[in-house]
mmCIF file of all heavy atoms in Angstrom:
data_model
loop_
_atom_site.group_PDB
_atom_site.id
_atom_site.type_symbol
_atom_site.label_atom_id
_atom_site.label_comp_id
_atom_site.label_asym_id
_atom_site.label_seq_id
_atom_site.Cartn_x
_atom_site.Cartn_y
_atom_site.Cartn_z
ATOM 1 N N LEU A 5 -8.648 3.603 5.712
ATOM 2 C CA LEU A 5 -9.121 2.890 4.525
ATOM 3 C C LEU A 5 -8.842 1.392 4.592
ATOM 4 O O LEU A 5 -9.715 0.568 4.277
ATOM 5 C CB LEU A 5 -8.459 3.465 3.275
ATOM 6 C CG LEU A 5 -8.995 4.790 2.737
ATOM 7 C CD1 LEU A 5 -8.025 5.364 1.714
ATOM 8 C CD2 LEU A 5 -10.377 4.603 2.134
ATOM 9 N N PHE A 6 -7.624 1.013 4.994
ATOM 10 C CA PHE A 6 -7.151 -0.345 4.742
ATOM 11 C C PHE A 6 -6.920 -1.218 5.972
ATOM 12 O O PHE A 6 -6.614 -2.407 5.821
ATOM 13 C CB PHE A 6 -5.850 -0.285 3.934
ATOM 14 C CG PHE A 6 -5.977 0.457 2.635
ATOM 15 C CD1 PHE A 6 -5.318 1.671 2.433
ATOM 16 C CD2 PHE A 6 -6.758 -0.040 1.611
ATOM 17 C CE1 PHE A 6 -5.436 2.358 1.237
ATOM 18 C CE2 PHE A 6 -6.885 0.639 0.403
ATOM 19 C CZ PHE A 6 -6.227 1.839 0.225
ATOM 20 N N ALA A 7 -7.083 -0.673 7.167
ATOM 21 C CA ALA A 7 -6.730 -1.434 8.374
ATOM 22 C C ALA A 7 -7.529 -2.714 8.518
ATOM 23 O O ALA A 7 -7.052 -3.687 9.123
ATOM 24 C CB ALA A 7 -6.903 -0.562 9.617
ATOM 25 N N ASP A 8 -8.741 -2.772 7.968
ATOM 26 C CA ASP A 8 -9.601 -3.955 8.120
ATOM 27 C C ASP A 8 -9.332 -5.029 7.069
ATOM 28 O O ASP A 8 -10.014 -6.061 7.071
ATOM 29 C CB ASP A 8 -11.076 -3.549 8.059
ATOM 30 C CG ASP A 8 -11.489 -2.720 9.263
ATOM 31 O OD1 ASP A 8 -10.814 -2.826 10.311
ATOM 32 O OD2 ASP A 8 -12.473 -1.968 9.155
ATOM 33 N N TYR A 9 -8.353 -4.795 6.193
ATOM 34 C CA TYR A 9 -8.106 -5.732 5.096
ATOM 35 C C TYR A 9 -6.737 -6.384 5.242
ATOM 36 O O TYR A 9 -5.723 -5.699 5.284
ATOM 37 C CB TYR A 9 -8.220 -5.002 3.745
ATOM 38 C CG TYR A 9 -9.652 -4.653 3.436
ATOM 39 C CD1 TYR A 9 -10.223 -3.502 3.979
ATOM 40 C CD2 TYR A 9 -10.449 -5.488 2.673
ATOM 41 C CE1 TYR A 9 -11.555 -3.191 3.757
ATOM 42 C CE2 TYR A 9 -11.782 -5.177 2.430
ATOM 43 C CZ TYR A 9 -12.328 -4.032 2.967
ATOM 44 O OH TYR A 9 -13.653 -3.734 2.747
ATOM 45 N N PRO A 10 -6.698 -7.709 5.318
ATOM 46 C CA PRO A 10 -5.423 -8.402 5.512
ATOM 47 C C PRO A 10 -4.522 -8.378 4.284
ATOM 48 O O PRO A 10 -3.318 -8.594 4.397
ATOM 49 C CB PRO A 10 -5.837 -9.827 5.859
ATOM 50 C CG PRO A 10 -7.194 -9.992 5.261
ATOM 51 C CD PRO A 10 -7.840 -8.645 5.336
ATOM 52 N N ILE A 11 -5.105 -8.108 3.105
ATOM 53 C CA ILE A 11 -4.330 -8.060 1.859
ATOM 54 C C ILE A 11 -4.703 -6.789 1.107
ATOM 55 O O ILE A 11 -5.888 -6.499 0.912
ATOM 56 C CB ILE A 11 -4.598 -9.282 0.968
ATOM 57 C CG1 ILE A 11 -4.317 -10.581 1.715
ATOM 58 C CG2 ILE A 11 -3.760 -9.210 -0.309
ATOM 59 C CD1 ILE A 11 -4.763 -11.819 0.961
ATOM 60 N N VAL A 12 -3.690 -6.036 0.675
ATOM 61 C CA VAL A 12 -3.917 -4.848 -0.147
ATOM 62 C C VAL A 12 -3.084 -4.965 -1.415
ATOM 63 O O VAL A 12 -1.872 -5.195 -1.355
ATOM 64 C CB VAL A 12 -3.524 -3.555 0.599
ATOM 65 C CG1 VAL A 12 -3.685 -2.338 -0.317
ATOM 66 C CG2 VAL A 12 -4.371 -3.381 1.853
ATOM 67 N N CYS A 13 -3.739 -4.797 -2.551
ATOM 68 C CA CYS A 13 -3.033 -4.740 -3.830
ATOM 69 C C CYS A 13 -2.735 -3.284 -4.158
ATOM 70 O O CYS A 13 -3.665 -2.480 -4.321
ATOM 71 C CB CYS A 13 -3.879 -5.354 -4.943
ATOM 72 S SG CYS A 13 -4.075 -7.134 -4.833
ATOM 73 N N GLU A 14 -1.462 -2.946 -4.247
ATOM 74 C CA GLU A 14 -1.056 -1.595 -4.657
ATOM 75 C C GLU A 14 -1.067 -1.552 -6.167
ATOM 76 O O GLU A 14 -0.380 -2.333 -6.829
ATOM 77 C CB GLU A 14 0.330 -1.289 -4.096
ATOM 78 C CG GLU A 14 0.879 0.068 -4.502
ATOM 79 C CD GLU A 14 1.432 0.085 -5.915
ATOM 80 O OE1 GLU A 14 2.253 -0.792 -6.230
ATOM 81 O OE2 GLU A 14 1.019 0.972 -6.701
ATOM 82 N N ALA A 15 -1.839 -0.617 -6.740
ATOM 83 C CA ALA A 15 -1.990 -0.577 -8.195
ATOM 84 C C ALA A 15 -2.000 0.867 -8.688
ATOM 85 O O ALA A 15 -2.739 1.210 -9.616
ATOM 86 C CB ALA A 15 -3.271 -1.309 -8.612
ATOM 87 N N PHE A 16 -1.206 1.722 -8.088
ATOM 88 C CA PHE A 16 -1.120 3.116 -8.498
ATOM 89 C C PHE A 16 -0.267 3.252 -9.760
ATOM 90 O O PHE A 16 0.473 2.349 -10.136
ATOM 91 C CB PHE A 16 -0.526 3.972 -7.379
ATOM 92 C CG PHE A 16 -1.463 4.203 -6.223
ATOM 93 C CD1 PHE A 16 -0.971 4.625 -4.999
ATOM 94 C CD2 PHE A 16 -2.817 4.014 -6.356
ATOM 95 C CE1 PHE A 16 -1.822 4.860 -3.931
ATOM 96 C CE2 PHE A 16 -3.683 4.231 -5.296
ATOM 97 C CZ PHE A 16 -3.189 4.652 -4.080
ATOM 98 N N ASP A 17 -0.344 4.434 -10.372
ATOM 99 C CA ASP A 17 0.410 4.720 -11.586
ATOM 100 C C ASP A 17 1.782 5.325 -11.286
ATOM 101 O O ASP A 17 2.796 4.887 -11.820
ATOM 102 C CB ASP A 17 -0.370 5.685 -12.496
ATOM 103 C CG ASP A 17 -1.627 5.052 -13.061
ATOM 104 O OD1 ASP A 17 -1.642 3.822 -13.238
ATOM 105 O OD2 ASP A 17 -2.594 5.792 -13.320
ATOM 106 N N ARG A 18 1.802 6.351 -10.442
ATOM 107 C CA ARG A 18 3.029 7.123 -10.230
ATOM 108 C C ARG A 18 3.951 6.453 -9.226
ATOM 109 O O ARG A 18 3.513 5.978 -8.174
ATOM 110 C CB ARG A 18 2.662 8.519 -9.747
ATOM 111 C CG ARG A 18 2.035 9.387 -10.805
ATOM 112 C CD ARG A 18 1.463 10.670 -10.220
ATOM 113 N NE ARG A 18 2.288 11.246 -9.166
ATOM 114 C CZ ARG A 18 1.897 12.281 -8.416
ATOM 115 N NH1 ARG A 18 0.708 12.822 -8.610
ATOM 116 N NH2 ARG A 18 2.698 12.750 -7.467
ATOM 117 N N PRO A 19 5.262 6.414 -9.512
ATOM 118 C CA PRO A 19 6.217 5.784 -8.599
ATOM 119 C C PRO A 19 6.189 6.378 -7.189
ATOM 120 O O PRO A 19 6.304 5.648 -6.203
ATOM 121 C CB PRO A 19 7.569 6.033 -9.271
ATOM 122 C CG PRO A 19 7.255 6.166 -10.721
ATOM 123 C CD PRO A 19 5.921 6.841 -10.773
ATOM 124 N N ASP A 20 6.030 7.705 -7.072
ATOM 125 C CA ASP A 20 6.023 8.303 -5.738
ATOM 126 C C ASP A 20 4.799 7.882 -4.939
ATOM 127 O O ASP A 20 4.874 7.674 -3.715
ATOM 128 C CB ASP A 20 6.116 9.830 -5.832
ATOM 129 C CG ASP A 20 4.950 10.451 -6.579
ATOM 130 O OD1 ASP A 20 4.422 9.812 -7.512
ATOM 131 O OD2 ASP A 20 4.559 11.588 -6.237
ATOM 132 N N GLN A 21 3.666 7.736 -5.631
ATOM 133 C CA GLN A 21 2.456 7.294 -4.942
ATOM 134 C C GLN A 21 2.545 5.818 -4.553
ATOM 135 O O GLN A 21 2.067 5.404 -3.488
ATOM 136 C CB GLN A 21 1.232 7.541 -5.820
ATOM 137 C CG GLN A 21 0.902 9.004 -6.022
ATOM 138 C CD GLN A 21 0.570 9.692 -4.709
ATOM 139 O OE1 GLN A 21 -0.336 9.294 -3.997
ATOM 140 N NE2 GLN A 21 1.331 10.735 -4.375
ATOM 141 N N LYS A 22 3.160 5.015 -5.420
ATOM 142 C CA LYS A 22 3.385 3.610 -5.084
ATOM 143 C C LYS A 22 4.232 3.491 -3.819
ATOM 144 O O LYS A 22 3.902 2.751 -2.892
ATOM 145 C CB LYS A 22 4.092 2.896 -6.250
ATOM 146 C CG LYS A 22 3.224 2.620 -7.467
ATOM 147 C CD LYS A 22 4.066 2.002 -8.572
ATOM 148 C CE LYS A 22 3.223 1.511 -9.714
ATOM 149 N NZ LYS A 22 2.425 0.327 -9.354
ATOM 150 N N ALA A 23 5.338 4.232 -3.806
ATOM 151 C CA ALA A 23 6.251 4.169 -2.665
ATOM 152 C C ALA A 23 5.561 4.651 -1.393
ATOM 153 O O ALA A 23 5.745 4.069 -0.309
ATOM 154 C CB ALA A 23 7.495 5.010 -2.954
ATOM 155 N N MET A 24 4.757 5.719 -1.515
ATOM 156 C CA MET A 24 4.047 6.247 -0.349
ATOM 157 C C MET A 24 3.113 5.201 0.231
ATOM 158 O O MET A 24 3.110 4.949 1.446
ATOM 159 C CB MET A 24 3.256 7.494 -0.743
ATOM 160 C CG MET A 24 2.434 8.112 0.398
ATOM 161 S SD MET A 24 0.795 7.333 0.681
ATOM 162 C CE MET A 24 -0.052 7.761 -0.854
ATOM 163 N N LEU A 25 2.312 4.558 -0.627
ATOM 164 C CA LEU A 25 1.328 3.596 -0.122
ATOM 165 C C LEU A 25 2.003 2.387 0.516
ATOM 166 O O LEU A 25 1.611 1.942 1.600
ATOM 167 C CB LEU A 25 0.392 3.153 -1.240
ATOM 168 C CG LEU A 25 -0.690 2.158 -0.801
ATOM 169 C CD1 LEU A 25 -1.551 2.734 0.307
ATOM 170 C CD2 LEU A 25 -1.544 1.725 -1.985
ATOM 171 N N VAL A 26 3.021 1.855 -0.148
ATOM 172 C CA VAL A 26 3.724 0.700 0.416
ATOM 173 C C VAL A 26 4.331 1.062 1.761
ATOM 174 O O VAL A 26 4.191 0.319 2.744
ATOM 175 C CB VAL A 26 4.804 0.192 -0.567
ATOM 176 C CG1 VAL A 26 5.697 -0.843 0.114
ATOM 177 C CG2 VAL A 26 4.152 -0.404 -1.810
ATOM 178 N N ARG A 27 4.989 2.194 1.818
ATOM 179 C CA ARG A 27 5.625 2.632 3.079
ATOM 180 C C ARG A 27 4.598 2.785 4.194
ATOM 181 O O ARG A 27 4.773 2.280 5.311
ATOM 182 C CB ARG A 27 6.347 3.951 2.846
ATOM 183 C CG ARG A 27 7.054 4.492 4.092
ATOM 184 C CD ARG A 27 7.630 5.870 3.848
ATOM 185 N NE ARG A 27 6.597 6.880 3.663
ATOM 186 C CZ ARG A 27 6.401 7.542 2.526
ATOM 187 N NH1 ARG A 27 7.155 7.308 1.463
ATOM 188 N NH2 ARG A 27 5.431 8.445 2.427
ATOM 189 N N GLU A 28 3.495 3.461 3.890
ATOM 190 C CA GLU A 28 2.498 3.735 4.930
ATOM 191 C C GLU A 28 1.758 2.476 5.351
ATOM 192 O O GLU A 28 1.429 2.302 6.532
ATOM 193 C CB GLU A 28 1.512 4.804 4.440
ATOM 194 C CG GLU A 28 2.146 6.151 4.161
ATOM 195 C CD GLU A 28 2.838 6.751 5.386
ATOM 196 O OE1 GLU A 28 2.383 6.497 6.520
ATOM 197 O OE2 GLU A 28 3.841 7.471 5.204
ATOM 198 N N LEU A 29 1.490 1.579 4.424
ATOM 199 C CA LEU A 29 0.832 0.324 4.792
ATOM 200 C C LEU A 29 1.720 -0.513 5.700
ATOM 201 O O LEU A 29 1.257 -1.052 6.717
ATOM 202 C CB LEU A 29 0.472 -0.472 3.537
ATOM 203 C CG LEU A 29 -0.749 0.006 2.756
ATOM 204 C CD1 LEU A 29 -0.835 -0.720 1.411
ATOM 205 C CD2 LEU A 29 -2.031 -0.220 3.554
ATOM 206 N N LEU A 30 2.995 -0.629 5.351
ATOM 207 C CA LEU A 30 3.905 -1.435 6.165
ATOM 208 C C LEU A 30 4.102 -0.821 7.545
ATOM 209 O O LEU A 30 4.325 -1.542 8.529
ATOM 210 C CB LEU A 30 5.241 -1.592 5.454
ATOM 211 C CG LEU A 30 5.219 -2.404 4.145
ATOM 212 C CD1 LEU A 30 6.599 -2.416 3.503
ATOM 213 C CD2 LEU A 30 4.725 -3.827 4.377
ATOM 214 N N THR A 31 3.983 0.500 7.623
ATOM 215 C CA THR A 31 4.177 1.189 8.901
ATOM 216 C C THR A 31 2.896 1.228 9.731
ATOM 217 O O THR A 31 2.894 0.882 10.916
ATOM 218 C CB THR A 31 4.674 2.627 8.665
ATOM 219 O OG1 THR A 31 5.891 2.589 7.923
ATOM 220 C CG2 THR A 31 4.912 3.342 9.979
ATOM 221 N N GLN A 32 1.798 1.635 9.099
ATOM 222 C CA GLN A 32 0.551 1.844 9.836
ATOM 223 C C GLN A 32 -0.280 0.576 9.986
ATOM 224 O O GLN A 32 -1.097 0.480 10.912
ATOM 225 C CB GLN A 32 -0.290 2.924 9.145
ATOM 226 C CG GLN A 32 0.365 4.285 9.065
ATOM 227 C CD GLN A 32 -0.591 5.337 8.550
ATOM 228 O OE1 GLN A 32 -1.768 5.375 8.901
ATOM 229 N NE2 GLN A 32 -0.081 6.215 7.684
ATOM 230 N N CYS A 33 -0.115 -0.369 9.072
ATOM 231 C CA CYS A 33 -0.894 -1.616 9.100
ATOM 232 C C CYS A 33 0.100 -2.783 9.045
ATOM 233 O O CYS A 33 0.187 -3.493 8.025
ATOM 234 C CB CYS A 33 -1.860 -1.683 7.926
ATOM 235 S SG CYS A 33 -2.936 -0.229 7.758
ATOM 236 N N PRO A 34 0.865 -3.002 10.111
ATOM 237 C CA PRO A 34 1.988 -3.947 10.062
ATOM 238 C C PRO A 34 1.598 -5.399 9.833
ATOM 239 O O PRO A 34 2.446 -6.194 9.445
ATOM 240 C CB PRO A 34 2.658 -3.758 11.429
ATOM 241 C CG PRO A 34 1.595 -3.188 12.308
ATOM 242 C CD PRO A 34 0.755 -2.332 11.415
ATOM 243 N N ASP A 35 0.335 -5.746 10.041
ATOM 244 C CA ASP A 35 -0.103 -7.126 9.810
ATOM 245 C C ASP A 35 -0.672 -7.341 8.414
ATOM 246 O O ASP A 35 -1.053 -8.461 8.066
ATOM 247 C CB ASP A 35 -1.152 -7.523 10.858
ATOM 248 C CG ASP A 35 -0.568 -7.567 12.264
ATOM 249 O OD1 ASP A 35 0.624 -7.909 12.391
ATOM 250 O OD2 ASP A 35 -1.297 -7.244 13.222
ATOM 251 N N THR A 36 -0.745 -6.265 7.638
ATOM 252 C CA THR A 36 -1.300 -6.349 6.284
ATOM 253 C C THR A 36 -0.226 -6.781 5.296
ATOM 254 O O THR A 36 0.905 -6.307 5.341
ATOM 255 C CB THR A 36 -1.871 -4.981 5.867
ATOM 256 O OG1 THR A 36 -2.982 -4.663 6.703
ATOM 257 C CG2 THR A 36 -2.331 -4.995 4.409
ATOM 258 N N THR A 37 -0.600 -7.678 4.406
ATOM 259 C CA THR A 37 0.298 -8.093 3.324
ATOM 260 C C THR A 37 0.042 -7.214 2.107
ATOM 261 O O THR A 37 -1.102 -7.041 1.681
ATOM 262 C CB THR A 37 0.077 -9.562 2.952
ATOM 263 O OG1 THR A 37 0.440 -10.385 4.070
ATOM 264 C CG2 THR A 37 0.926 -9.964 1.748
ATOM 265 N N VAL A 38 1.103 -6.642 1.557
ATOM 266 C CA VAL A 38 1.010 -5.742 0.405
ATOM 267 C C VAL A 38 1.516 -6.470 -0.833
ATOM 268 O O VAL A 38 2.616 -7.032 -0.833
ATOM 269 C CB VAL A 38 1.836 -4.465 0.635
ATOM 270 C CG1 VAL A 38 1.690 -3.515 -0.548
ATOM 271 C CG2 VAL A 38 1.417 -3.789 1.938
ATOM 272 N N VAL A 39 0.719 -6.449 -1.904
ATOM 273 C CA VAL A 39 1.112 -7.010 -3.193
ATOM 274 C C VAL A 39 1.169 -5.851 -4.180
ATOM 275 O O VAL A 39 0.139 -5.291 -4.562
ATOM 276 C CB VAL A 39 0.126 -8.092 -3.668
ATOM 277 C CG1 VAL A 39 0.620 -8.715 -4.985
ATOM 278 C CG2 VAL A 39 -0.056 -9.169 -2.604
ATOM 279 N N SER A 40 2.379 -5.491 -4.578
ATOM 280 C CA SER A 40 2.605 -4.282 -5.367
ATOM 281 C C SER A 40 2.983 -4.624 -6.805
ATOM 282 O O SER A 40 3.535 -5.689 -7.079
ATOM 283 C CB SER A 40 3.727 -3.458 -4.714
ATOM 284 O OG SER A 40 4.016 -2.295 -5.459
ATOM 285 N N GLY A 41 2.684 -3.693 -7.717
ATOM 286 C CA GLY A 41 3.066 -3.856 -9.118
ATOM 287 C C GLY A 41 4.161 -2.880 -9.487
ATOM 288 O O GLY A 41 4.062 -1.690 -9.189
ATOM 289 N N ASN A 42 5.212 -3.376 -10.170
ATOM 290 C CA ASN A 42 6.344 -2.503 -10.501
ATOM 291 C C ASN A 42 7.043 -3.035 -11.746
ATOM 292 O O ASN A 42 7.757 -4.031 -11.693
ATOM 293 C CB ASN A 42 7.322 -2.450 -9.329
ATOM 294 C CG ASN A 42 8.493 -1.512 -9.591
ATOM 295 O OD1 ASN A 42 8.587 -0.895 -10.642
ATOM 296 N ND2 ASN A 42 9.385 -1.418 -8.629
ATOM 297 N N GLY A 43 6.807 -2.363 -12.890
ATOM 298 C CA GLY A 43 7.488 -2.735 -14.135
ATOM 299 C C GLY A 43 6.648 -3.620 -15.020
ATOM 300 O O GLY A 43 6.732 -4.838 -14.930
#
């Protein structure tokens, strides 16, 4: 889904899904910058 995008905004609702996406993006797409929402 996201390998072709240099910036991904994480905007999920559930904390476990947020953590999953951030973890997998940083691991699988190491050159991608993640901007996450929390709180």
Side-chain angles (χ1 to χ4, degrees):
L5 283 167
F6 303 113
D8 292 337
Y9 288 83
I11 304 171
V12 176
C13 290
E14 178 282 309
F16 287 162
D17 293 331
R18 289 170 39 188
D20 61 327
Q21 292 298 302
K22 287 176 171 290
M24 178 277 294
L25 181 58
V26 170
R27 180 186 68 245
E28 297 301 329
L29 283 170
L30 294 177
T31 302
Q32 299 188 41
C33 307
D35 294 327
T36 295
T37 295
V38 182
V39 183
S40 178
N42 182 0

